Amino acid sequence: MAVRNETRVTQFILLGLSINPAFQTAFFVLFLAIYLLTMTGNLLILVTIYVDTHLHTPMYFFLSHLSFLDLTFSTITVPRSLVHFLFPRKTISFTDCMTQMFFFHLIAGTECLHLILMAYDRYVAICNPLRYTTIMNRRICLLLVVSTWVGGIIHASMQTFPTVHLSFCGPNEINHFFCDAHPLSLLSCSSTLINEIVDMVNSGILTLFSFLVLVISYTCIISTILKICSVEGRRKAFSTCASHLMVVTLFFGPSVFMYMRPPVTFASDKLVSIFYAIVTPCLNPYIYTLRNEEVKRSMMKLGGRIVSLLGAHKK
């Protein structure tokens, strides 16, 4: 009986975005700047909402949770990428690679479901304003947030566990700047048919479910907004919904392109990945903040408090 001599890969090499040292330096500066903006914007929203009791409402509770997800989402991929831009050794162990992929899809799946929650919150606030405080009470809000994490865990498990059981016997160079199911499946020396089916079904169900819920929610919301007699009321409602729709578009557009297809490689894959994994978490807080007068006023009050405290401390 012939025995197959198979060596299992224990680490991968992330090829990153470029092998040119000049480009790597440029990417390091760009990624670092975006990451610092992401941290600053999202932390500012978290602190502002925590400090200002007037913002302790379901809408801002969900907004603060979105900021936490964006912070975590960027931290999963950016710090390691920054290290790889600076040093020639760009390896990642098999265990670390699978761990990164699991948490990446955990946060991505959770954020996908969380955006649905935010749409549902706006639906109740605009379409059932008299029952809003009853329907969206603290207990229900917490249960809804927990349910998004449960959904994220299920999504991440279905994305990661089939990949863990693939055979990798070389080559071990991942044509990406972080570990993900598509580029990894291209390196497998075993059949990936089941993985491709699971991946398509998993991502398809999550994306289609989210899309249908969002379409139904915003159809009802827009229909109700158009019936509002007050011009100011319509403007405020449209402003809030426009911010959410911008975030939804930025998140779902690239995700559909990346995951609603077989694991083939396109030249634009890395650029799209940069957008939804790094740029979008940076843009979210600024989209909401710049269009939300309450948050801007609270931030100004917070800034005033900090200046007063610093002035008192100097005295």
Side-chain angles (χ1 to χ4, degrees):
M1 181 182 295
V3 179
R4 184 184 177 187
N5 184 19
E6 180 180 295
T7 303
R8 185 172 178 82
V9 170
T10 58
Q11 66 178 14
F12 296 102
I13 298 172
L14 291 166
L15 296 181
L17 299 173
S18 174
I19 59 173
N20 188 312
F23 283 133
Q24 292 194 48
T25 302
F27 281 127
F28 173 81
V29 174
L30 178 63
F31 274 45
L32 180 60
I34 293 174
Y35 186 61
L36 291 176
L37 287 172
T38 302
M39 296 291 289
T40 303
N42 286 293
L43 282 174
L44 187 57
I45 288 179
L46 284 169
V47 172
T48 301
I49 292 174
Y50 177 78
V51 171
D52 194 338
T53 55
H54 293 96
L55 299 181
H56 291 183
T57 63
M59 174 182 170
Y60 295 108
F61 170 69
F62 291 139
L63 180 57
S64 64
H65 188 240
L66 178 65
S67 292
F68 171 76
L69 291 173
D70 284 334
L71 278 174
T72 311
F73 200 33
S74 291
T75 303
I76 290 169
T77 56
V78 176
R80 183 179 286 272
S81 296
L82 292 174
V83 173
H84 286 173
F85 287 139
L86 290 179
F87 299 99
R89 185 175 176 83
K90 306 179 189 299
T91 58
I92 182 172
S93 70
F94 180 87
T95 302
D96 287 349
C97 186
M98 296 301 124
T99 301
Q100 185 185 56
M101 184 169 67
F102 177 83
F103 282 102
F104 180 84
H105 284 284
L106 167 62
I107 302 301
T110 302
E111 183 161 336
C112 180
L113 296 173
H114 188 71
L115 290 173
I116 296 176
L117 278 191
M118 295 178 72
Y120 175 69
D121 173 68
R122 291 302 84 206
Y123 164 76
V124 176
I126 294 172
C127 300
N128 295 284
L130 298 178
R131 299 180 57 206
Y132 179 69
T133 54
T134 303
I135 296 174
M136 301 302 290
N137 59 60
R138 183 175 179 80
R139 178 175 173 273
I140 293 298
C141 289
L142 287 173
L143 286 174
L144 289 172
V145 167
V146 169
S147 70
T148 64
W149 282 94
V150 173
I153 291 171
I154 294 171
H155 170 70
S157 300
M158 292 182 68
Q159 288 289 115
T160 307
F161 290 161
T163 306
V164 170
H165 291 93
L166 288 175
S167 295
F168 297 96
C169 42
N172 66 338
E173 295 181 339
I174 301 175
N175 188 23
H176 216 313
F177 62 95
F178 66 91
C179 290
D180 203 3
H182 280 185
L184 276 168
S185 64
L186 297 174
L187 301 180
S188 175
C189 52
S190 58
S191 174
T192 60
L193 178 61
I194 295 177
N195 295 64
E196 292 173 22
I197 294 172
V198 171
D199 187 16
M200 290 287 288
V201 171
N202 180 28
S203 300
I205 290 175
L206 181 63
T207 305
L208 289 176
F209 172 73
S210 302
F211 178 76
L212 288 174
V213 172
L214 289 168
V215 167
I216 293 170
S217 297
Y218 277 99
T219 300
C220 297
I221 288 171
I222 293 172
S223 176
T224 302
I225 290 174
L226 293 174
K227 296 176 184 177
I228 297 175
C229 298
S230 167
V231 175
E232 179 62 23
R234 286 200 300 270
R235 186 198 66 78
K236 186 176 180 180
F238 268 123
S239 178
T240 303
C241 293
S243 298
H244 187 231
L245 283 172
M246 287 175 66
V247 171
V248 166
T249 303
L250 290 171
F251 185 82
F252 278 97
S255 298
V256 169
F257 174 79
M258 290 298 298
Y259 298 106
M260 289 294 290
R261 60 178 171 86
V264 293
T265 301
F266 294 119
S268 58
D269 281 359
K270 292 181 184 180
L271 180 61
V272 174
S273 296
I274 291 173
F275 192 81
Y276 79 84
I278 298 172
V279 176
T280 300
C282 176
L283 293 178
N284 285 352
Y286 299 100
I287 290 172
Y288 277 108
T289 303
L290 293 175
R291 299 178 64 89
N292 192 302
E293 294 298 328
E294 286 182 290
V295 175
K296 285 193 286 186
R297 284 196 296 269
S298 296
M299 285 183 177
M300 291 178 66
K301 289 180 182 178
L302 179 63
R305 290 181 188 178
I306 293 173
V307 171
S308 299
L309 288 172
L310 290 175
H313 180 71
K314 288 180 179 180
K315 293 177 182 179

